[in-house]
Amino acid sequence: MSEFKLAWQRFVKDRVALIALWVLGILYAAALFADVITPYSLRDESRLHTYCPPTAIHFLTSDGHWAGPYVRGVAMSYDEYRRRIYRETDEAYPLKFFGKGESYKFLGVVTWDRHLLSVDAPGRVYLLGADSRGRDIFSRIIHGARVSLTIGLFGVLISFVLGLLVGGIAGYFGGRIDNILMRMCEMVMMVPGFYLLLALRAAVPDTLNSLQVYAAIVIILAFIGWAGLARVIRGMCLSLKERDYVLAARTMGLTDMEIVMRHILPHTISYSLAAVALAVPGYILGESALSLIGLGIQDPYASWGNMLSEAMNIVRIQFAPWILWPAFFIALTVMCFNLIGDALRDAWDPMLKGRGDQP
Amino acid sequence: MTRPYERMGRYIIKRLLTAVALLLVMSFVTFMLMRLTPGNYLDTLRLDPQISKDTLAYYEKLYQLDKPAWQQYLFWLAGLVRGEFGYSFYYNVPVAKIIGSRLGNTFILSFAAFLLTWMLAIPLGIWAALNRGRWGDRVAQFISYIVLSLPGFFVAMVLLFWASTTGWLPLGGMESPGAEDLSLWARSWDMFRHLIIPATALSLGSIAALQKIMRGNMLDVLGRQYILAARARGLPEHRVIYVHALRNAINPMITLLGYEFSALLSGAALMEIITSWPGLGSLMLTAVRSKDIYLVMASMMMGGVLFVIGNLLADIALAKADPRIQIK
């Protein structure tokens, strides 16, 4: 049986990690099918519903008869401190499943206009409440998942490839090359992460469009993160290259490149998978921190970080606590990645215990 | 044969020299990146009709903004050697004038969080290890896992929100208005009250992480043979735990000092921004937003210097604590 299969068997025994894997799967699927799942598009707003609280879903009419799921309309008024109060009216808007709504390009190709959940205008359904411009927070969280969940993954992917290359070369060849490459890593690690993040962000021109900003953030995060992974992989290569099978491969006349590619890196991948899973939260938090302080993804595009920037004004949390929902999703994602990373490390541990650096 | 402290001195000098070299390269890269992107602070000033063309030309000449980027870098570097960090166009004062107090404030916040972390995490880890598997330990480990996943900025927001509803603690900043007129004692107390929220939010994650590691170390050590031997000799349990086990369990923690310190500095920057603590991090944000190049450079370099010093201190502490470790 291969190493991977053995480790996988140990991994699936970890119930908590499996649940975490499922939760992440659901979140990523939701991000992929965001257009269908969400009642409203990214740009949809309703100034009459500023900070509208979560909509209650009713099943019975006011005299107690079954009426299926429906929502009531809301009427806004002001109290004596000029604060908004929302009151339910008698108008009823039945919840429609796969009803027609705003049209969109499904998966970027097919034009479709069905939404998993919707109500007819002028009724509005806010599953998790509304933000300052009457936008549906639930819809924006799902749309924002596309940014927040992928930015970390792309970032970690680039860092990982870089780290694998640099770490592999440094660890295998050692000596002068190792010295130079490790000084390069130290250079990046010498400036505290967030300062480097800000400095690099300062070097990004203001004129970029949102897709370019997204790419810029991925590159910045990857630039900050590769050094740490490279050091972990270097440590493992250092110990792996002393093994007998590497000596055997060399006696058989394999070139250095072949040995690194075929015999050393595959053995580090297993362990570094855990390191990668444990690194993803850092990228996700980096993106949300950057967007939170207004240097990341910009309105009208949503990311969990920039949605939270509304909560920077503490008073708003008081009358609209639901603007904190994105933080819940950040925490949930981070926790899932941590659980999976820990479980992966434990699954590989019997083979690699006590060897290489602990990430 | 060289004496230990001589070797230590040489090691420190070597480390500092490498650090300076690496910081120089890093600063060069950042400087070039910032110069390559279009727009500088003078462009913003140009839009201001109140500023005359002569002033702009004066600035341009003074900071050699018309020269190629590498010359500007050398000019900046030459200033750095003389202790001048350049001019902040945003604040309209030399960078050196602002950066000192900001550096101090960041240090206060980081140090407070650092103390809080270690003073809570170590006893918590020991306690959890001694009560392994009991419900107290389980609850602590479960809470730790959740806390580890909470973003620090979220914790800060919740704490600020709590402070705003109860009114027990001030909402951000470092001093209350008019604090300059207070006595030294009252002023310190005022600053302490402002420090509570950012320091707690900053250290909560590290406490969770460190107590987990400390618990692991302690459990590891408690399973060793020399602990069994100590017990067999009939030593009182508290001696076994606090003298024999603890000393060995705490050693690996010191290796983490440097790493923790850098994470702390990084986290402090964001926390400063959220709780409007006037430190290096919030200064750098202002600088980045206004493309104030010299201020960005200075903040980044100062962050790097703090980091280098922290790491060096951690290495020295490690060498002092564990005689087996050879410094070269």
Side-chain angles (χ1 to χ4, degrees), chain B residues 258-289:
Chain B
Y259 175 76
E260 267 302 309
F261 189 73
S262 80
L264 207 64
L265 270 181
S266 191
L270 182 59
M271 213 51 76
E272 283 166 9
I273 293 167
I274 289 170
T275 62
S276 38
W277 182 267
L280 216 49
S282 46
L283 180 71
M284 184 141 171
L285 178 66
T286 323
V288 165
R289 279 198 179 138

PDB file of all heavy atoms in Angstrom, chain B residues 258-289:
ATOM      1  N   GLY B 258      11.660  34.321  20.009  1.00  0.00           N
ATOM      2  CA  GLY B 258      11.916  35.181  18.861  1.00  0.00           C
ATOM      3  C   GLY B 258      10.778  35.139  17.858  1.00  0.00           C
ATOM      4  O   GLY B 258      10.314  36.159  17.364  1.00  0.00           O
ATOM      5  N   TYR B 259      10.323  33.915  17.598  1.00  0.00           N
ATOM      6  CA  TYR B 259       9.245  33.744  16.638  1.00  0.00           C
ATOM      7  C   TYR B 259       7.979  34.449  17.120  1.00  0.00           C
ATOM      8  O   TYR B 259       7.320  35.162  16.363  1.00  0.00           O
ATOM      9  CB  TYR B 259       8.982  32.258  16.449  1.00  0.00           C
ATOM     10  CG  TYR B 259       7.805  31.972  15.577  1.00  0.00           C
ATOM     11  CD1 TYR B 259       7.900  32.114  14.200  1.00  0.00           C
ATOM     12  CD2 TYR B 259       6.591  31.587  16.122  1.00  0.00           C
ATOM     13  CE1 TYR B 259       6.817  31.881  13.395  1.00  0.00           C
ATOM     14  CE2 TYR B 259       5.498  31.346  15.324  1.00  0.00           C
ATOM     15  CZ  TYR B 259       5.619  31.489  13.960  1.00  0.00           C
ATOM     16  OH  TYR B 259       4.533  31.271  13.181  1.00  0.00           O
ATOM     17  N   GLU B 260       7.676  34.257  18.402  1.00  0.00           N
ATOM     18  CA  GLU B 260       6.491  34.878  18.985  1.00  0.00           C
ATOM     19  C   GLU B 260       6.571  36.402  18.904  1.00  0.00           C
ATOM     20  O   GLU B 260       5.596  37.085  18.641  1.00  0.00           O
ATOM     21  CB  GLU B 260       6.378  34.468  20.457  1.00  0.00           C
ATOM     22  CG  GLU B 260       5.521  33.268  20.680  1.00  0.00           C
ATOM     23  CD  GLU B 260       4.126  33.471  20.149  1.00  0.00           C
ATOM     24  OE1 GLU B 260       3.511  34.496  20.490  1.00  0.00           O
ATOM     25  OE2 GLU B 260       3.657  32.628  19.382  1.00  0.00           O
ATOM     26  N   PHE B 261       7.796  36.896  19.121  1.00  0.00           N
ATOM     27  CA  PHE B 261       7.982  38.337  19.127  1.00  0.00           C
ATOM     28  C   PHE B 261       7.654  38.937  17.764  1.00  0.00           C
ATOM     29  O   PHE B 261       7.007  39.979  17.668  1.00  0.00           O
ATOM     30  CB  PHE B 261       9.427  38.659  19.522  1.00  0.00           C
ATOM     31  CG  PHE B 261       9.660  40.104  19.771  1.00  0.00           C
ATOM     32  CD1 PHE B 261       9.177  40.710  20.913  1.00  0.00           C
ATOM     33  CD2 PHE B 261      10.346  40.868  18.854  1.00  0.00           C
ATOM     34  CE1 PHE B 261       9.371  42.043  21.141  1.00  0.00           C
ATOM     35  CE2 PHE B 261      10.552  42.212  19.071  1.00  0.00           C
ATOM     36  CZ  PHE B 261      10.062  42.802  20.220  1.00  0.00           C
ATOM     37  N   SER B 262       8.085  38.252  16.700  1.00  0.00           N
ATOM     38  CA  SER B 262       7.812  38.790  15.367  1.00  0.00           C
ATOM     39  C   SER B 262       6.321  38.730  15.056  1.00  0.00           C
ATOM     40  O   SER B 262       5.756  39.650  14.470  1.00  0.00           O
ATOM     41  CB  SER B 262       8.621  38.037  14.321  1.00  0.00           C
ATOM     42  OG  SER B 262       8.004  36.823  14.020  1.00  0.00           O
ATOM     43  N   ALA B 263       5.682  37.630  15.460  1.00  0.00           N
ATOM     44  CA  ALA B 263       4.245  37.518  15.245  1.00  0.00           C
ATOM     45  C   ALA B 263       3.520  38.633  15.995  1.00  0.00           C
ATOM     46  O   ALA B 263       2.557  39.227  15.515  1.00  0.00           O
ATOM     47  CB  ALA B 263       3.745  36.156  15.709  1.00  0.00           C
ATOM     48  N   LEU B 264       4.049  38.927  17.177  1.00  0.00           N
ATOM     49  CA  LEU B 264       3.454  39.959  18.019  1.00  0.00           C
ATOM     50  C   LEU B 264       3.563  41.335  17.358  1.00  0.00           C
ATOM     51  O   LEU B 264       2.602  42.097  17.303  1.00  0.00           O
ATOM     52  CB  LEU B 264       4.205  39.967  19.339  1.00  0.00           C
ATOM     53  CG  LEU B 264       3.456  40.447  20.559  1.00  0.00           C
ATOM     54  CD1 LEU B 264       2.321  39.511  20.840  1.00  0.00           C
ATOM     55  CD2 LEU B 264       4.391  40.484  21.738  1.00  0.00           C
ATOM     56  N   LEU B 265       4.744  41.640  16.831  1.00  0.00           N
ATOM     57  CA  LEU B 265       4.962  42.930  16.171  1.00  0.00           C
ATOM     58  C   LEU B 265       4.013  43.084  14.998  1.00  0.00           C
ATOM     59  O   LEU B 265       3.418  44.136  14.777  1.00  0.00           O
ATOM     60  CB  LEU B 265       6.393  43.010  15.650  1.00  0.00           C
ATOM     61  CG  LEU B 265       7.427  43.571  16.584  1.00  0.00           C
ATOM     62  CD1 LEU B 265       8.763  43.586  15.889  1.00  0.00           C
ATOM     63  CD2 LEU B 265       7.031  44.980  16.981  1.00  0.00           C
ATOM     64  N   SER B 266       3.897  41.999  14.233  1.00  0.00           N
ATOM     65  CA  SER B 266       3.049  42.013  13.063  1.00  0.00           C
ATOM     66  C   SER B 266       1.595  42.224  13.470  1.00  0.00           C
ATOM     67  O   SER B 266       0.876  43.023  12.887  1.00  0.00           O
ATOM     68  CB  SER B 266       3.226  40.695  12.320  1.00  0.00           C
ATOM     69  OG  SER B 266       2.634  40.770  11.079  1.00  0.00           O
ATOM     70  N   GLY B 267       1.171  41.478  14.496  1.00  0.00           N
ATOM     71  CA  GLY B 267      -0.195  41.610  14.974  1.00  0.00           C
ATOM     72  C   GLY B 267      -0.449  42.973  15.584  1.00  0.00           C
ATOM     73  O   GLY B 267      -1.530  43.544  15.438  1.00  0.00           O
ATOM     74  N   ALA B 268       0.584  43.514  16.246  1.00  0.00           N
ATOM     75  CA  ALA B 268       0.421  44.811  16.898  1.00  0.00           C
ATOM     76  C   ALA B 268       0.086  45.894  15.885  1.00  0.00           C
ATOM     77  O   ALA B 268      -0.714  46.791  16.157  1.00  0.00           O
ATOM     78  CB  ALA B 268       1.690  45.172  17.662  1.00  0.00           C
ATOM     79  N   ALA B 269       0.674  45.792  14.687  1.00  0.00           N
ATOM     80  CA  ALA B 269       0.437  46.814  13.669  1.00  0.00           C
ATOM     81  C   ALA B 269      -1.051  46.911  13.347  1.00  0.00           C
ATOM     82  O   ALA B 269      -1.629  48.000  13.320  1.00  0.00           O
ATOM     83  CB  ALA B 269       1.238  46.484  12.414  1.00  0.00           C
ATOM     84  N   LEU B 270      -1.685  45.754  13.128  1.00  0.00           N
ATOM     85  CA  LEU B 270      -3.109  45.760  12.800  1.00  0.00           C
ATOM     86  C   LEU B 270      -3.946  46.228  13.989  1.00  0.00           C
ATOM     87  O   LEU B 270      -4.900  46.997  13.843  1.00  0.00           O
ATOM     88  CB  LEU B 270      -3.527  44.351  12.372  1.00  0.00           C
ATOM     89  CG  LEU B 270      -4.974  44.194  11.940  1.00  0.00           C
ATOM     90  CD1 LEU B 270      -5.290  45.089  10.767  1.00  0.00           C
ATOM     91  CD2 LEU B 270      -5.267  42.763  11.586  1.00  0.00           C
ATOM     92  N   MET B 271      -3.539  45.761  15.177  1.00  0.00           N
ATOM     93  CA  MET B 271      -4.288  46.125  16.371  1.00  0.00           C
ATOM     94  C   MET B 271      -4.238  47.629  16.618  1.00  0.00           C
ATOM     95  O   MET B 271      -5.216  48.238  17.031  1.00  0.00           O
ATOM     96  CB  MET B 271      -3.689  45.374  17.561  1.00  0.00           C
ATOM     97  CG  MET B 271      -4.679  44.988  18.601  1.00  0.00           C
ATOM     98  SD  MET B 271      -6.071  44.144  17.888  1.00  0.00           S
ATOM     99  CE  MET B 271      -5.372  42.547  17.586  1.00  0.00           C
ATOM    100  N   GLU B 272      -3.080  48.221  16.331  1.00  0.00           N
ATOM    101  CA  GLU B 272      -2.942  49.670  16.481  1.00  0.00           C
ATOM    102  C   GLU B 272      -3.934  50.400  15.580  1.00  0.00           C
ATOM    103  O   GLU B 272      -4.548  51.384  15.970  1.00  0.00           O
ATOM    104  CB  GLU B 272      -1.527  50.110  16.092  1.00  0.00           C
ATOM    105  CG  GLU B 272      -0.488  49.811  17.138  1.00  0.00           C
ATOM    106  CD  GLU B 272       0.913  49.943  16.572  1.00  0.00           C
ATOM    107  OE1 GLU B 272       1.069  50.427  15.442  1.00  0.00           O
ATOM    108  OE2 GLU B 272       1.853  49.546  17.273  1.00  0.00           O
ATOM    109  N   ILE B 273      -4.080  49.873  14.369  1.00  0.00           N
ATOM    110  CA  ILE B 273      -4.971  50.525  13.414  1.00  0.00           C
ATOM    111  C   ILE B 273      -6.409  50.450  13.910  1.00  0.00           C
ATOM    112  O   ILE B 273      -7.159  51.418  13.833  1.00  0.00           O
ATOM    113  CB  ILE B 273      -4.824  49.871  12.029  1.00  0.00           C
ATOM    114  CG1 ILE B 273      -3.429  50.160  11.479  1.00  0.00           C
ATOM    115  CG2 ILE B 273      -5.894  50.359  11.077  1.00  0.00           C
ATOM    116  CD1 ILE B 273      -3.044  49.326  10.290  1.00  0.00           C
ATOM    117  N   ILE B 274      -6.782  49.279  14.437  1.00  0.00           N
ATOM    118  CA  ILE B 274      -8.177  49.094  14.835  1.00  0.00           C
ATOM    119  C   ILE B 274      -8.512  49.851  16.107  1.00  0.00           C
ATOM    120  O   ILE B 274      -9.584  50.447  16.231  1.00  0.00           O
ATOM    121  CB  ILE B 274      -8.483  47.593  14.967  1.00  0.00           C
ATOM    122  CG1 ILE B 274      -8.510  47.005  13.572  1.00  0.00           C
ATOM    123  CG2 ILE B 274      -9.811  47.341  15.653  1.00  0.00           C
ATOM    124  CD1 ILE B 274      -8.557  45.539  13.529  1.00  0.00           C
ATOM    125  N   THR B 275      -7.589  49.845  17.070  1.00  0.00           N
ATOM    126  CA  THR B 275      -7.890  50.528  18.327  1.00  0.00           C
ATOM    127  C   THR B 275      -7.299  51.938  18.346  1.00  0.00           C
ATOM    128  O   THR B 275      -7.224  52.547  19.404  1.00  0.00           O
ATOM    129  CB  THR B 275      -7.343  49.736  19.528  1.00  0.00           C
ATOM    130  OG1 THR B 275      -5.919  49.670  19.397  1.00  0.00           O
ATOM    131  CG2 THR B 275      -7.892  48.342  19.571  1.00  0.00           C
ATOM    132  N   SER B 276      -6.898  52.418  17.182  1.00  0.00           N
ATOM    133  CA  SER B 276      -6.248  53.729  17.015  1.00  0.00           C
ATOM    134  C   SER B 276      -5.198  54.017  18.082  1.00  0.00           C
ATOM    135  O   SER B 276      -5.157  55.071  18.690  1.00  0.00           O
ATOM    136  CB  SER B 276      -7.262  54.877  16.920  1.00  0.00           C
ATOM    137  OG  SER B 276      -8.350  54.703  17.775  1.00  0.00           O
ATOM    138  N   TRP B 277      -4.343  53.048  18.316  1.00  0.00           N
ATOM    139  CA  TRP B 277      -3.178  53.201  19.179  1.00  0.00           C
ATOM    140  C   TRP B 277      -2.089  53.873  18.335  1.00  0.00           C
ATOM    141  O   TRP B 277      -1.745  53.381  17.267  1.00  0.00           O
ATOM    142  CB  TRP B 277      -2.723  51.817  19.648  1.00  0.00           C
ATOM    143  CG  TRP B 277      -1.555  51.825  20.585  1.00  0.00           C
ATOM    144  CD1 TRP B 277      -0.242  51.710  20.242  1.00  0.00           C
ATOM    145  CD2 TRP B 277      -1.592  51.932  22.002  1.00  0.00           C
ATOM    146  NE1 TRP B 277       0.540  51.742  21.361  1.00  0.00           N
ATOM    147  CE2 TRP B 277      -0.262  51.878  22.463  1.00  0.00           C
ATOM    148  CE3 TRP B 277      -2.622  52.076  22.931  1.00  0.00           C
ATOM    149  CZ2 TRP B 277       0.068  51.954  23.801  1.00  0.00           C
ATOM    150  CZ3 TRP B 277      -2.293  52.149  24.263  1.00  0.00           C
ATOM    151  CH2 TRP B 277      -0.962  52.090  24.694  1.00  0.00           C
ATOM    152  N   PRO B 278      -1.559  55.010  18.776  1.00  0.00           N
ATOM    153  CA  PRO B 278      -0.651  55.749  17.903  1.00  0.00           C
ATOM    154  C   PRO B 278       0.745  55.135  17.815  1.00  0.00           C
ATOM    155  O   PRO B 278       1.706  55.687  18.326  1.00  0.00           O
ATOM    156  CB  PRO B 278      -0.596  57.140  18.540  1.00  0.00           C
ATOM    157  CG  PRO B 278      -0.919  56.907  19.965  1.00  0.00           C
ATOM    158  CD  PRO B 278      -1.800  55.704  20.049  1.00  0.00           C
ATOM    159  N   GLY B 279       0.859  53.995  17.175  1.00  0.00           N
ATOM    160  CA  GLY B 279       2.146  53.316  17.066  1.00  0.00           C
ATOM    161  C   GLY B 279       2.668  53.331  15.641  1.00  0.00           C
ATOM    162  O   GLY B 279       2.159  54.043  14.783  1.00  0.00           O
ATOM    163  N   LEU B 280       3.669  52.489  15.433  1.00  0.00           N
ATOM    164  CA  LEU B 280       4.333  52.418  14.138  1.00  0.00           C
ATOM    165  C   LEU B 280       3.393  51.894  13.047  1.00  0.00           C
ATOM    166  O   LEU B 280       3.425  52.363  11.903  1.00  0.00           O
ATOM    167  CB  LEU B 280       5.520  51.463  14.279  1.00  0.00           C
ATOM    168  CG  LEU B 280       6.787  51.752  13.533  1.00  0.00           C
ATOM    169  CD1 LEU B 280       7.219  53.180  13.725  1.00  0.00           C
ATOM    170  CD2 LEU B 280       7.863  50.796  14.005  1.00  0.00           C
ATOM    171  N   GLY B 281       2.560  50.927  13.409  1.00  0.00           N
ATOM    172  CA  GLY B 281       1.669  50.314  12.433  1.00  0.00           C
ATOM    173  C   GLY B 281       0.656  51.289  11.888  1.00  0.00           C
ATOM    174  O   GLY B 281       0.454  51.389  10.673  1.00  0.00           O
ATOM    175  N   SER B 282       0.026  52.040  12.789  1.00  0.00           N
ATOM    176  CA  SER B 282      -0.978  52.990  12.298  1.00  0.00           C
ATOM    177  C   SER B 282      -0.301  54.130  11.544  1.00  0.00           C
ATOM    178  O   SER B 282      -0.862  54.681  10.601  1.00  0.00           O
ATOM    179  CB  SER B 282      -1.834  53.517  13.453  1.00  0.00           C
ATOM    180  OG  SER B 282      -1.039  53.885  14.543  1.00  0.00           O
ATOM    181  N   LEU B 283       0.930  54.464  11.948  1.00  0.00           N
ATOM    182  CA  LEU B 283       1.686  55.479  11.210  1.00  0.00           C
ATOM    183  C   LEU B 283       1.944  55.001   9.787  1.00  0.00           C
ATOM    184  O   LEU B 283       1.782  55.744   8.819  1.00  0.00           O
ATOM    185  CB  LEU B 283       3.017  55.738  11.907  1.00  0.00           C
ATOM    186  CG  LEU B 283       3.917  56.779  11.248  1.00  0.00           C
ATOM    187  CD1 LEU B 283       3.340  58.159  11.429  1.00  0.00           C
ATOM    188  CD2 LEU B 283       5.317  56.714  11.809  1.00  0.00           C
ATOM    189  N   MET B 284       2.303  53.730   9.692  1.00  0.00           N
ATOM    190  CA  MET B 284       2.633  53.201   8.376  1.00  0.00           C
ATOM    191  C   MET B 284       1.407  53.167   7.478  1.00  0.00           C
ATOM    192  O   MET B 284       1.514  53.409   6.269  1.00  0.00           O
ATOM    193  CB  MET B 284       3.204  51.792   8.521  1.00  0.00           C
ATOM    194  CG  MET B 284       3.655  51.240   7.210  1.00  0.00           C
ATOM    195  SD  MET B 284       5.144  50.314   7.383  1.00  0.00           S
ATOM    196  CE  MET B 284       5.271  49.571   5.781  1.00  0.00           C
ATOM    197  N   LEU B 285       0.247  52.875   8.059  1.00  0.00           N
ATOM    198  CA  LEU B 285      -0.971  52.871   7.252  1.00  0.00           C
ATOM    199  C   LEU B 285      -1.216  54.261   6.655  1.00  0.00           C
ATOM    200  O   LEU B 285      -1.505  54.401   5.467  1.00  0.00           O
ATOM    201  CB  LEU B 285      -2.169  52.435   8.095  1.00  0.00           C
ATOM    202  CG  LEU B 285      -3.492  52.438   7.343  1.00  0.00           C
ATOM    203  CD1 LEU B 285      -3.492  51.395   6.247  1.00  0.00           C
ATOM    204  CD2 LEU B 285      -4.660  52.209   8.274  1.00  0.00           C
ATOM    205  N   THR B 286      -1.103  55.283   7.498  1.00  0.00           N
ATOM    206  CA  THR B 286      -1.261  56.653   7.002  1.00  0.00           C
ATOM    207  C   THR B 286      -0.271  56.918   5.876  1.00  0.00           C
ATOM    208  O   THR B 286      -0.616  57.500   4.842  1.00  0.00           O
ATOM    209  CB  THR B 286      -0.983  57.668   8.129  1.00  0.00           C
ATOM    210  OG1 THR B 286      -1.483  57.144   9.347  1.00  0.00           O
ATOM    211  CG2 THR B 286      -1.620  58.991   7.839  1.00  0.00           C
ATOM    212  N   ALA B 287       0.978  56.475   6.091  1.00  0.00           N
ATOM    213  CA  ALA B 287       2.018  56.715   5.099  1.00  0.00           C
ATOM    214  C   ALA B 287       1.706  56.013   3.786  1.00  0.00           C
ATOM    215  O   ALA B 287       1.841  56.594   2.708  1.00  0.00           O
ATOM    216  CB  ALA B 287       3.360  56.240   5.642  1.00  0.00           C
ATOM    217  N   VAL B 288       1.237  54.770   3.895  1.00  0.00           N
ATOM    218  CA  VAL B 288       0.937  54.008   2.684  1.00  0.00           C
ATOM    219  C   VAL B 288      -0.224  54.648   1.938  1.00  0.00           C
ATOM    220  O   VAL B 288      -0.205  54.792   0.725  1.00  0.00           O
ATOM    221  CB  VAL B 288       0.607  52.542   3.052  1.00  0.00           C
ATOM    222  CG1 VAL B 288      -0.055  51.833   1.897  1.00  0.00           C
ATOM    223  CG2 VAL B 288       1.871  51.816   3.449  1.00  0.00           C
ATOM    224  N   ARG B 289      -1.233  55.061   2.685  1.00  0.00           N
ATOM    225  CA  ARG B 289      -2.396  55.668   2.044  1.00  0.00           C
ATOM    226  C   ARG B 289      -2.037  56.932   1.302  1.00  0.00           C
ATOM    227  O   ARG B 289      -2.607  57.242   0.270  1.00  0.00           O
ATOM    228  CB  ARG B 289      -3.455  55.978   3.096  1.00  0.00           C
ATOM    229  CG  ARG B 289      -4.263  54.766   3.449  1.00  0.00           C
ATOM    230  CD  ARG B 289      -5.543  55.168   4.120  1.00  0.00           C
ATOM    231  NE  ARG B 289      -6.330  53.997   4.435  1.00  0.00           N
ATOM    232  CZ  ARG B 289      -6.986  53.841   5.580  1.00  0.00           C
ATOM    233  NH1 ARG B 289      -6.939  54.780   6.492  1.00  0.00           N
ATOM    234  NH2 ARG B 289      -7.698  52.766   5.785  1.00  0.00           N
TER     235      ARG B 289
END
